[in-house]
Amino acid sequence: MNDDSIATGRPTIDRRRLLKLAAAAGVLPFLPGTTATAQAANTAQTLGTASAGCMPLPLLSGPEFPIVAFWPPSMQQRFNTLARFQEMKDAGFTVSFVGASDADDVGYVHTTLSYTDQTGLKALVVNWPERALQLREEYVRHPSFVGFRLDDEPSAPAFPRLGTGSAALRAAAPGLLQNINLLPDVGQGWRGYIQEFISVVRPQVLSYDRYPLYADGSDHSAYFAEWQEFRAAGLGTGLPTWIYILSVIHWHYRMPTAAELAWQVNISLAYGCKGIQYFCYWSPEPPPSYGPALIDYEGNRSPLYEAAKTLNTTWLAPVGAELKPLVSDWVTHANGSRPPGTIPFTPDVYLTGTSGSPIVVSRFRSKDRKPRTRWLLLANPKHSATTQATVHVNTATVTAVSRFDPATRTYETQSSPATISVELAPGAAALYRLDAPGVSLDPQLQLVAVAGGSAHHAIQQVGDSWDGPNELGGPSRLVAASEYSGMLHVVEMAGDVIYHRVRSVDGSWGSRNVFSHLAGVSSVTTAVVVGCLQVAFAAGGVVYHAMQFPDGGWDGPNRLGDASNLVAATEHHASFHMIQVAGSQIYHRVRFPNGTWSSRNLFVTMHGITSVAVTVVGEEMMVVIAAGGQLYYAIQHTDGSWQWPTLTGDQADQVAASSVGGELQITATSGGKAFVRRRHADGTLSPRTDIPTLTDVTALTSSGRSPEPCP
């Protein structure tokens, strides 16, 4: 695999090379292809008319948790039998990759798909996007066929081809899943690599591989940190995250024990994983290149087959089904030292403390943000030792605690909700439900404003009613805010001190923390880009940039150097788009996923600019401007051209902008009083509506809803 080849210099072999070797060696037969039937064409036409956008997709939607086998029996013709695929199904697998390359004989793939049909497995056929587009009608006759595996561990230069090909396939067959697996972190800008992939390819799911168990007995030191980063990328884009786990001895990796297999699964679940892929189910090559996987090269079961069968059927399938529809809310490490790049446990409204041995404390919430009930997965961070820990529950919030029984798929209520005590075997985990009555507010927009020298927070709910404003406490003169996975990140300036605080989905606020100092700040703005909070400042007449990473650490503020007195920012296609005002000139500049910056481009000149804001509505970027005491908005269209600023007819001195329900919502002030207007899709504006009780406003910012996972 390419898992550590760059970092270690050790020889590796990746899945793509394995598949090519299989084709070259004639492991799979390559014969003239067959022709699709009329039934297949009709089914494909039905798939092609499915609605676009956030639609249910195979494997990603539905109750069943994907447990995926790489290197199925069909990779050797002698084992391409119904009995061998039934053996895979019996081990708890729900999905199999099928095929090796574009050169596969279509008839042979049909034969294999007939076995997945009969066993109830789902199948992802291995083809490049161009070939997949040609063959999509060929395979839809099979109920088990749900999509394609388009590429594995692509480098960034391959992204444009994948983006073009996957877009064409998505347009032709929107109901098919497209699986593309990414490289792990090999020390060459992994965050930028992930962000660029998302920006260019627009994937349906995020997948990567990491094999953390080395032959010398050591473990990969950044296993948890990688998951922290990948989790943030998934939550920041609303994309489910999958991983490949190690299940075969090869090269510099050891054969996992049953505990080590469970450890890989449970740590992945703790970090919000929505699909587990085994590398490999069947050993791809005879020794010495590969030792046994669950099945060795000659078709014999290894001890890992029974271990995986037990893990999949008695734990992963039922627990995965519980966690699949939920959203990862919080992942921390408690009790003692924690791995690098992870977040320490801190008490909150649900949990007041922990004690005992090290443990991973992972919390989940419903996609519907209103229910206050939460789920708690407690995982042993070690695969070689038992852990014992106690979690102390805040009974002012939680009225009942229940432990999930995977055998019956029911919850058993504890006698007392005050504490949760666990003893977890090596690699094991336990799932609990924390019942909390009541509902939380579900904002369509959150507004933060400075009034009377202090920050205030207000929520606009669906239906446009307002809750608040409520004073947050602490002096402030400038504010910026962005929502990420339902959590509102607020950056405030008080004098030259920069503060950061977070509002959770449940409505509770974290502490107001100092993260830096910067003199002469005249403007501040934020945007969340693929799970990373980015902040820009205009300070002393120039632009500075800072970033908070998924582990909570900060970089910056770093001097960018552009002359500017006002800044505004938004995320668009996994990039940080910044509007800069220097006197009467308004510029646009972009920070790309790889960390480089575009040139600064002038798009309009206006006099008397006092405030600027920017957001993305659909695929268009919209800039709101207060200039000469008047309110304007401008639009950058999808082709990059700009529409000249349009006057709304309102007086304004401060502005904020957000996307609400697919429309531009402008929040502005005039004479210290705040009001809202909404630009509809047809270009008309709603009547002006005042925000009650919000007066003496000197600065304001707003944030619409962050992405939630698709159904």
Side-chain angles (χ1 to χ4, degrees):
M1 296 300 301
N2 274 342
D3 197 280
D4 291 292
S5 57
I6 297 176
T8 66
R10 300 170 181 169
T12 63
I13 184 167
D14 62 18
R15 279 177 300 277
R16 179 167 29 182
R17 186 181 166 206
L18 274 173
L19 293 171
K20 288 179 179 178
L21 288 173
V27 172
L28 296 181
F30 301 103
L31 306 170
T34 61
T35 303
T37 64
Q39 178 188 3
N42 292 336
T43 308
Q45 186 177 9
T46 302
L47 283 172
T49 59
S51 60
C54 186
M55 60 177 292
L57 285 167
L59 308 185
L60 306 186
S61 59
E64 189 174 67
F65 188 88
I67 307 174
V68 189
F70 179 83
W71 211 266
S74 54
M75 297 305 289
Q76 295 187 57
Q77 189 174 9
R78 56 178 171 154
F79 295 122
N80 191 26
T81 66
L82 177 61
R84 283 302 195 172
F85 276 93
Q86 186 61 54
E87 183 180 38
M88 177 191 291
K89 178 68 173 179
D90 292 343
F93 288 91
T94 65
V95 186
S96 176
F97 291 112
V98 172
S101 75
D102 284 355
D104 290 348
D105 168 51
V106 175
Y108 188 80
V109 174
H110 274 303
T111 299
T112 303
L113 290 174
S114 73
Y115 300 145
T116 55
D117 290 345
Q118 294 175 72
T119 55
L121 288 161
K122 301 301 181 185
L124 292 166
V125 175
V126 177
N127 282 123
W128 272 92
E130 297 84 357
R131 184 64 170 158
L133 186 62
Q134 295 172 354
L135 292 175
R136 71 188 190 280
E137 297 181 357
E138 183 72 37
Y139 299 134
V140 292
R141 72 179 75 167
H142 295 279
S144 62
F145 170 66
V146 294
F148 291 95
R149 205 245 36 200
L150 299 179
D151 199 9
D152 183 62
E153 296 185 336
S155 61
F159 292 167
R161 176 187 176 186
L162 288 170
T164 300
S166 62
L169 180 60
R170 186 164 51 246
L176 293 180
L177 181 65
Q178 301 178 20
N179 175 286
I180 301 171
N181 182 66
L182 296 178
L183 286 160
D185 185 1
V186 291
Q188 296 184 344
W190 195 49
R191 181 181 300 115
Y193 168 78
I194 297 169
Q195 292 180 359
E196 187 173 356
F197 173 73
I198 293 168
S199 174
V200 175
V201 180
R202 313 289 292 277
Q204 299 165 333
V205 60
L206 292 177
S207 171
Y208 83 110
D209 52 69
R210 168 58 74 188
Y211 310 126
L213 308 170
Y214 297 126
D216 63 6
S218 66
D219 297 342
H220 184 67
S221 61
Y223 191 61
F224 296 93
E226 277 186 347
W227 251 126
Q228 182 73 27
E229 188 80 34
F230 209 67
R231 169 184 176 270
L235 292 176
T237 53
L239 294 172
T241 52
W242 290 14
I243 192 172
Y244 277 92
I245 63 171
L246 176 67
S247 58
V248 60
I249 183 172
H250 67 290
W251 299 107
H252 54 280
Y253 303 110
R254 67 181 183 263
M255 184 67 164
T257 64
E260 290 170 338
L261 197 68
W263 175 77
Q264 293 178 86
V265 163
N266 286 321
I267 295 305
S268 299
L269 291 177
Y271 278 88
C273 181
K274 303 300 182 184
I276 297 291
Q277 302 161 103
Y278 278 69
F279 182 85
C280 296
Y281 172 74
W282 200 289
S283 185
E285 296 179 1
S289 296
Y290 279 79
L294 278 66
I295 309 290
D296 70 18
Y297 185 76
E298 296 299 329
N300 304 303
R301 294 181 184 181
S302 78
L304 201 60
Y305 176 89
E306 290 299 330
K309 179 179 180 179
T310 300
L311 177 65
N312 291 343
T313 58
T314 67
W315 175 255
L316 179 53
V319 171
E322 286 293 301
L323 296 177
K324 185 180 178 183
L326 304 179
V327 180
S328 176
D329 189 42
W330 195 62
V331 187
T332 65
H333 289 247
N335 303 337
S337 61
R338 58 187 172 88
T342 60
I343 295 176
F345 173 87
T346 54
D348 66 1
V349 297
Y350 287 91
L351 305 176
T352 60
T354 65
S355 58
S357 305
I359 194 167
V360 180
V361 183
S362 177
R363 195 168 64 213
F364 297 81
R365 63 171 174 86
S366 165
K367 289 181 183 178
D368 181 352
R369 299 180 184 181
K370 294 185 289 295
R372 293 174 61 81
T373 291
R374 296 293 186 265
W375 288 258
L376 200 66
L377 186 72
L378 302 178
N380 189 338
K382 298 183 181 299
H383 52 66
S384 57
T386 298
T387 194
Q388 293 180 308
T390 299
V391 177
H392 303 279
V393 179
N394 184 356
T395 54
T397 302
V398 177
T399 57
V401 172
S402 304
R403 181 165 178 162
F404 181 67
D405 178 8
T408 61
R409 300 199 178 201
T410 59
Y411 287 87
E412 300 175 355
T413 304
Q414 291 189 171
S415 58
S416 170
T419 59
I420 300 172
S421 296
V422 292
E423 179 175 341
L424 299 173
L431 177 64
Y432 293 83
R433 189 182 66 220
L434 310 180
D435 293 325
V439 294
S440 300
L441 296 175
D442 186 12
Q444 66 174 357
L445 178 136
Q446 299 193 62
L447 179 70
V448 181
V450 175
S454 179
H456 295 71
H457 173 257
I459 287 174
Q460 185 184 41
Q461 301 181 75
V462 175
D464 297 340
S465 63
W466 287 89
D467 180 82
N470 300 301
E471 188 170 355
L472 295 181
S476 295
R477 61 181 184 86
L478 296 171
V479 288
S482 293
E483 194 181 283
Y484 158 64
S485 191
M487 300 179 293
L488 185 70
H489 288 254
V490 178
V491 174
E492 305 170 52
M493 294 296 309
D496 295 336
V497 183
I498 308 170
Y499 294 92
H500 173 238
R501 65 173 122 194
V502 179
R503 180 188 183 272
S504 297
V505 175
D506 59 55
S508 62
W509 285 88
S511 58
R512 186 183 191 226
N513 300 312
V514 175
F515 86 83
S516 193
H517 297 72
L518 190 61
V521 175
S522 58
S523 181
V524 60
T525 185
T526 60
V528 175
V529 180
V530 193
C532 292
L533 178 68
Q534 299 193 42
V535 189
F537 306 87
V542 298
V543 177
Y544 291 77
H545 176 264
M547 180 182 294
Q548 187 186 40
F549 302 125
D551 64 2
W554 286 91
D555 176 68
N558 300 307
R559 181 185 171 101
L560 187 57
D562 298 335
S564 182
N565 56 291
L566 295 172
V567 289
T570 190
E571 183 274 341
H572 192 33
H573 291 172
S575 295
F576 181 74
H577 287 252
M578 180 163 40
I579 302 299
Q580 304 173 354
V581 178
S584 60
Q585 296 179 315
I586 305 179
Y587 297 88
H588 174 223
R589 196 172 188 192
V590 183
R591 184 184 187 274
F592 298 115
N594 63 5
T596 62
W597 289 86
S598 72
S599 59
R600 188 167 86 145
N601 299 308
L602 176 69
F603 80 88
V604 73
T605 298
M606 303 177 71
H607 297 287
I609 302 170
T610 57
S611 183
V612 64
V614 63
T615 191
V616 172
V617 179
E619 288 295 310
E620 295 183 318
M621 189 163 63
M622 300 194 176
V623 182
V624 178
I625 307 159
Q630 300 296 311
L631 180 62
Y632 301 81
Y633 67 87
I635 301 174
Q636 186 187 44
H637 299 297
T638 54
D639 63 1
S641 64
W642 285 93
Q643 175 182 310
W644 189 260
T646 300
L647 187 65
T648 69
D650 299 285
Q651 294 183 332
D653 44 56
Q654 297 292 318
V655 295
S658 292
S659 176
V660 175
E663 298 179 331
L664 170 66
Q665 176 151 318
I666 300 170
T667 309
T669 63
S670 177
K673 295 183 178 180
F675 65 92
V676 297
R677 296 199 74 177
R678 195 169 294 171
R679 181 190 181 274
H680 303 305
D682 61 5
T684 61
L685 291 168
S686 69
R688 169 175 165 160
T689 303
D690 292 336
I691 300 177
T693 72
L694 192 56
T695 59
D696 300 322
V697 177
T698 56
L700 79 164
T701 183
S702 66
S703 178
R705 286 177 66 92
S706 54
E708 287 283 6
C710 284

mmCIF file of all heavy atoms in Angstrom, residues 126-141:
data_model
loop_
_atom_site.group_PDB
_atom_site.id
_atom_site.type_symbol
_atom_site.label_atom_id
_atom_site.label_comp_id
_atom_site.label_asym_id
_atom_site.label_seq_id
_atom_site.Cartn_x
_atom_site.Cartn_y
_atom_site.Cartn_z
ATOM 1 N N VAL A 126 -15.560 -1.931 -10.160
ATOM 2 C CA VAL A 126 -14.323 -1.162 -10.294
ATOM 3 C C VAL A 126 -14.146 -0.720 -11.743
ATOM 4 O O VAL A 126 -13.906 -1.549 -12.631
ATOM 5 C CB VAL A 126 -13.108 -1.988 -9.833
ATOM 6 C CG1 VAL A 126 -11.817 -1.212 -10.039
ATOM 7 C CG2 VAL A 126 -13.270 -2.390 -8.370
ATOM 8 N N ASN A 127 -14.317 0.586 -11.992
ATOM 9 C CA ASN A 127 -14.085 1.172 -13.312
ATOM 10 C C ASN A 127 -13.699 2.630 -13.170
ATOM 11 O O ASN A 127 -14.114 3.300 -12.213
ATOM 12 C CB ASN A 127 -15.348 1.107 -14.186
ATOM 13 C CG ASN A 127 -15.596 -0.261 -14.794
ATOM 14 O OD1 ASN A 127 -16.646 -0.860 -14.588
ATOM 15 N ND2 ASN A 127 -14.636 -0.768 -15.543
ATOM 16 N N TRP A 128 -12.928 3.120 -14.123
ATOM 17 C CA TRP A 128 -12.684 4.554 -14.207
ATOM 18 C C TRP A 128 -13.980 5.259 -14.599
ATOM 19 O O TRP A 128 -14.888 4.637 -15.173
ATOM 20 C CB TRP A 128 -11.598 4.843 -15.245
ATOM 21 C CG TRP A 128 -10.218 4.808 -14.671
ATOM 22 C CD1 TRP A 128 -9.386 3.739 -14.610
ATOM 23 C CD2 TRP A 128 -9.512 5.900 -14.072
ATOM 24 N NE1 TRP A 128 -8.198 4.084 -14.005
ATOM 25 C CE2 TRP A 128 -8.255 5.413 -13.667
ATOM 26 C CE3 TRP A 128 -9.814 7.239 -13.831
ATOM 27 C CZ2 TRP A 128 -7.303 6.212 -13.035
ATOM 28 C CZ3 TRP A 128 -8.870 8.037 -13.211
ATOM 29 C CH2 TRP A 128 -7.643 7.528 -12.818
ATOM 30 N N PRO A 129 -14.102 6.555 -14.335
ATOM 31 C CA PRO A 129 -15.370 7.249 -14.615
ATOM 32 C C PRO A 129 -15.845 7.121 -16.055
ATOM 33 O O PRO A 129 -17.047 6.942 -16.298
ATOM 34 C CB PRO A 129 -15.046 8.708 -14.260
ATOM 35 C CG PRO A 129 -13.954 8.629 -13.258
ATOM 36 C CD PRO A 129 -13.138 7.443 -13.656
ATOM 37 N N GLU A 130 -14.925 7.207 -17.017
ATOM 38 C CA GLU A 130 -15.337 7.151 -18.422
ATOM 39 C C GLU A 130 -15.940 5.786 -18.769
ATOM 40 O O GLU A 130 -16.975 5.707 -19.448
ATOM 41 C CB GLU A 130 -14.137 7.442 -19.330
ATOM 42 C CG GLU A 130 -13.550 8.835 -19.168
ATOM 43 C CD GLU A 130 -12.549 8.950 -18.027
ATOM 44 O OE1 GLU A 130 -12.344 7.943 -17.307
ATOM 45 O OE2 GLU A 130 -11.966 10.028 -17.873
ATOM 46 N N ARG A 131 -15.305 4.736 -18.289
ATOM 47 C CA ARG A 131 -15.825 3.393 -18.527
ATOM 48 C C ARG A 131 -17.112 3.158 -17.740
ATOM 49 O O ARG A 131 -18.047 2.506 -18.225
ATOM 50 C CB ARG A 131 -14.767 2.356 -18.151
ATOM 51 C CG ARG A 131 -15.148 0.904 -18.437
ATOM 52 C CD ARG A 131 -15.339 0.633 -19.905
ATOM 53 N NE ARG A 131 -15.466 -0.805 -20.180
ATOM 54 C CZ ARG A 131 -16.040 -1.294 -21.261
ATOM 55 N NH1 ARG A 131 -16.532 -0.475 -22.183
ATOM 56 N NH2 ARG A 131 -16.107 -2.611 -21.441
ATOM 57 N N ALA A 132 -17.168 3.687 -16.540
ATOM 58 C CA ALA A 132 -18.382 3.563 -15.732
ATOM 59 C C ALA A 132 -19.566 4.219 -16.439
ATOM 60 O O ALA A 132 -20.691 3.701 -16.413
ATOM 61 C CB ALA A 132 -18.162 4.193 -14.362
ATOM 62 N N LEU A 133 -19.332 5.354 -17.063
ATOM 63 C CA LEU A 133 -20.392 6.031 -17.800
ATOM 64 C C LEU A 133 -20.904 5.153 -18.936
ATOM 65 O O LEU A 133 -22.111 5.110 -19.201
ATOM 66 C CB LEU A 133 -19.870 7.369 -18.342
ATOM 67 C CG LEU A 133 -20.886 8.297 -19.017
ATOM 68 C CD1 LEU A 133 -21.963 8.713 -18.032
ATOM 69 C CD2 LEU A 133 -20.182 9.515 -19.602
ATOM 70 N N GLN A 134 -20.006 4.443 -19.593
ATOM 71 C CA GLN A 134 -20.395 3.553 -20.685
ATOM 72 C C GLN A 134 -21.163 2.332 -20.181
ATOM 73 O O GLN A 134 -22.085 1.847 -20.849
ATOM 74 C CB GLN A 134 -19.155 3.083 -21.447
ATOM 75 C CG GLN A 134 -18.392 4.181 -22.176
ATOM 76 C CD GLN A 134 -17.073 3.660 -22.752
ATOM 77 O OE1 GLN A 134 -16.672 2.513 -22.507
ATOM 78 N NE2 GLN A 134 -16.397 4.508 -23.510
ATOM 79 N N LEU A 135 -20.779 1.840 -19.001
ATOM 80 C CA LEU A 135 -21.316 0.569 -18.521
ATOM 81 C C LEU A 135 -22.473 0.706 -17.537
ATOM 82 O O LEU A 135 -22.994 -0.306 -17.065
ATOM 83 C CB LEU A 135 -20.199 -0.246 -17.859
ATOM 84 C CG LEU A 135 -19.103 -0.767 -18.786
ATOM 85 C CD1 LEU A 135 -18.009 -1.455 -17.975
ATOM 86 C CD2 LEU A 135 -19.680 -1.731 -19.819
ATOM 87 N N ARG A 136 -22.847 1.928 -17.202
ATOM 88 C CA ARG A 136 -23.857 2.089 -16.150
ATOM 89 C C ARG A 136 -25.160 1.366 -16.490
ATOM 90 O O ARG A 136 -25.830 0.822 -15.606
ATOM 91 C CB ARG A 136 -24.119 3.582 -15.899
ATOM 92 C CG ARG A 136 -24.873 4.273 -17.018
ATOM 93 C CD ARG A 136 -24.950 5.772 -16.827
ATOM 94 N NE ARG A 136 -25.875 6.377 -17.770
ATOM 95 C CZ ARG A 136 -25.587 6.647 -19.042
ATOM 96 N NH1 ARG A 136 -24.388 6.347 -19.521
ATOM 97 N NH2 ARG A 136 -26.499 7.209 -19.815
ATOM 98 N N GLU A 137 -25.522 1.335 -17.793
ATOM 99 C CA GLU A 137 -26.751 0.646 -18.195
ATOM 100 C C GLU A 137 -26.574 -0.867 -18.236
ATOM 101 O O GLU A 137 -27.560 -1.612 -18.226
ATOM 102 C CB GLU A 137 -27.209 1.158 -19.562
ATOM 103 C CG GLU A 137 -27.571 2.634 -19.589
ATOM 104 C CD GLU A 137 -28.038 3.087 -20.967
ATOM 105 O OE1 GLU A 137 -28.020 2.242 -21.885
ATOM 106 O OE2 GLU A 137 -28.412 4.256 -21.111
ATOM 107 N N GLU A 138 -25.327 -1.288 -18.293
ATOM 108 C CA GLU A 138 -25.041 -2.722 -18.412
ATOM 109 C C GLU A 138 -25.357 -3.473 -17.128
ATOM 110 O O GLU A 138 -25.809 -4.626 -17.161
ATOM 111 C CB GLU A 138 -23.561 -2.910 -18.774
ATOM 112 C CG GLU A 138 -23.139 -4.343 -18.997
ATOM 113 C CD GLU A 138 -23.680 -4.911 -20.307
ATOM 114 O OE1 GLU A 138 -23.740 -4.174 -21.302
ATOM 115 O OE2 GLU A 138 -24.060 -6.092 -20.309
ATOM 116 N N TYR A 139 -25.139 -2.828 -15.991
ATOM 117 C CA TYR A 139 -25.190 -3.559 -14.725
ATOM 118 C C TYR A 139 -26.452 -3.302 -13.901
ATOM 119 O O TYR A 139 -26.666 -3.975 -12.892
ATOM 120 C CB TYR A 139 -23.965 -3.211 -13.881
ATOM 121 C CG TYR A 139 -22.649 -3.591 -14.534
ATOM 122 C CD1 TYR A 139 -21.572 -2.704 -14.555
ATOM 123 C CD2 TYR A 139 -22.484 -4.832 -15.140
ATOM 124 C CE1 TYR A 139 -20.369 -3.039 -15.163
ATOM 125 C CE2 TYR A 139 -21.290 -5.188 -15.755
ATOM 126 C CZ TYR A 139 -20.232 -4.278 -15.756
ATOM 127 O OH TYR A 139 -19.053 -4.614 -16.369
ATOM 128 N N VAL A 140 -27.264 -2.332 -14.295
ATOM 129 C CA VAL A 140 -28.401 -1.993 -13.428
ATOM 130 C C VAL A 140 -29.486 -3.064 -13.411
ATOM 131 O O VAL A 140 -30.417 -2.978 -12.609
ATOM 132 C CB VAL A 140 -29.014 -0.626 -13.821
ATOM 133 C CG1 VAL A 140 -28.053 0.495 -13.508
ATOM 134 C CG2 VAL A 140 -29.420 -0.611 -15.285
ATOM 135 N N ARG A 141 -29.368 -4.079 -14.286
ATOM 136 C CA ARG A 141 -30.310 -5.207 -14.186
ATOM 137 C C ARG A 141 -30.134 -5.961 -12.870
ATOM 138 O O ARG A 141 -31.012 -6.712 -12.452
ATOM 139 C CB ARG A 141 -30.096 -6.163 -15.354
ATOM 140 C CG ARG A 141 -28.798 -6.962 -15.256
ATOM 141 C CD ARG A 141 -28.603 -7.931 -16.408
ATOM 142 N NE ARG A 141 -28.214 -7.253 -17.620
ATOM 143 C CZ ARG A 141 -27.735 -7.888 -18.692
ATOM 144 N NH1 ARG A 141 -27.618 -9.204 -18.675
ATOM 145 N NH2 ARG A 141 -27.386 -7.217 -19.765
#
